[in-house]
Amino acid sequence: MTEEKPRVRMSAAQRREQLIVIGRQLFAERGYDATSVEEVAARAKVSKPVVYEHFGGKEGLYAVVVDREVRALLDRITAALTAGHPRELLEQAALALLDYIEEEPHGFQVLSARQAPSLAPAGTFSTVMNDVAHQVEHLLGGEFRTRGLDPRFAELYSQALVGMVALVGQWWREARRPKKEMVAAHLVNLAWNGLSNLEAKPGLITRKGR
C-alpha cells in the first residue's frame, strides 16, 4: 500500500500567483460577469476567504489580471520597436501584436473583452493601443520633418496606423489565416506604400472647395 504524499503548502506569493493565473483563464473563458469567486476558489482548491484575503474580491482579482496584461503587451511592443528604418518599425509593431495574440490568447481575450466593469483600472486593449500610438507619434514626427511634412499631423497618422494593426489583429485572432507573417506583410504594404507617397496638403475630391 502506497502512502499519500503530504500536500506542499504554498507560500502567500505562490498562492497569489496561482489565483492570478486561474482568474486570467476564467475571465478569458467565461467573461467577467460569469466568473465567480466560488469558481476561482474551487479551481485553486482553496476556500473563498483565501481569494478575498489576497484581492478583496472578484473586482480586485480582475484589476490585477488586467493590469498585468496591459504591462505585458505594452512591454512586448515597446521592446520590439528598436531603432531602424520606419518600414522596419511598422513590421516590428505588427508582428509584436500578432505574436501576443498567438502566444497569449487568454490575455488578449481579457484585454479585448467588450464588457468590463467600470471599476476596473483604465487598462483595456484600446488604452494599450493608445499608449503605443503615442510612441509611434514621436517616430513619425521625425520622419515627417525629414520629408517636409507638417509634424502636427503625426498624432493623427499614428492613431490611424496603430488602429489599423489593432483591428486586423482582432480579426486575425478568429480567422487565423493567412499566416501571421503574411498578415504583417500586407499590413505594412498598405501602410508603407501609402505613407511613402503622402501629399503635403491632402484634400477631398468629393467636398472640394468646402
Side-chain angles (χ1 to χ4, degrees), residues 27 30-35 57-67 109-124:
F27 289 133
R30 301 170 61 80
Y32 176 82
D33 291 333
T35 299
K58 182 173 75 169
E59 298 88 351
L61 175 58
Y62 182 81
V64 171
V65 169
V66 170
D67 181 67
Q109 178 61 30
V110 169
L111 286 185
S112 59
R114 289 185 174 84
Q115 293 182 346
S118 58
L119 45 82
T124 61

Side-chain angles (χ1 to χ4, degrees), residues 51-192:
V51 181
Y52 285 107
E53 179 185 345
H54 281 278
F55 304 101
K58 182 173 75 169
E59 298 88 351
L61 175 58
Y62 182 81
V64 171
V65 169
V66 170
D67 181 67
R68 179 176 287 197
E69 290 307 315
V70 166
R71 288 187 285 110
L73 177 54
L74 192 56
D75 288 347
R76 182 187 285 250
I77 294 176
T78 301
L81 294 175
T82 57
H85 190 276
R87 177 164 182 158
E88 290 179 295
L89 293 171
L90 287 173
E91 291 180 5
Q92 291 161 0
L95 282 170
L97 176 58
L98 295 173
D99 282 341
Y100 176 81
I101 292 171
E102 182 178 59
E103 297 167 13
E104 305 292 345
H106 285 153
F108 184 73
Q109 178 61 30
V110 169
L111 286 185
S112 59
R114 289 185 174 84
Q115 293 182 346
S118 58
L119 45 82
T124 61
F125 184 62
S126 61
T127 58
V128 177
M129 290 298 97
N130 194 53
D131 287 341
V132 174
H134 284 308
Q135 296 184 50
V136 174
E137 178 187 344
H138 295 299
L139 298 170
L140 281 183
E143 185 69 13
F144 274 31
R145 291 185 185 90
T146 301
R147 292 169 178 260
L149 302 171
D150 192 338
R152 291 178 300 173
F153 293 106
E155 181 179 8
L156 186 156
Y157 281 92
S158 68
Q159 292 286 343
L161 285 171
V162 172
M164 177 180 70
V165 174
L167 282 174
V168 171
Q170 288 179 304
W171 162 79
W172 182 76
R173 175 182 175 273
E174 301 298 331
R176 288 305 171 103
R177 62 178 190 273
K179 289 185 177 180
K180 174 177 58 181
E181 291 76 14
M182 186 65 71
V183 173
H186 281 282
L187 278 169
V188 174
N189 181 42
L190 173 60
W192 182 253

Side-chain angles (χ1 to χ4, degrees), residues 7-22:
R7 292 179 64 183
V8 178
R9 186 178 179 85
M10 288 186 179
S11 67
Q14 289 172 326
R15 179 66 71 190
R16 178 181 173 83
E17 185 62 29
Q18 179 203 32
L19 292 171
I20 291 172
V21 171
I22 290 172

Side-chain angles (χ1 to χ4, degrees), residues 199 202-210:
E199 296 175 348
L204 299 177
I205 296 173
T206 55
R207 296 189 178 183
K208 192 173 182 180
R210 290 191 183 183

Side-chain angles (χ1 to χ4, degrees), residues 35-42 48-49 51-52 57-58:
T35 299
S36 66
V37 170
E38 289 86 350
E39 192 169 5
V40 174
K48 283 169 55 179
V51 181
Y52 285 107
K58 182 173 75 169

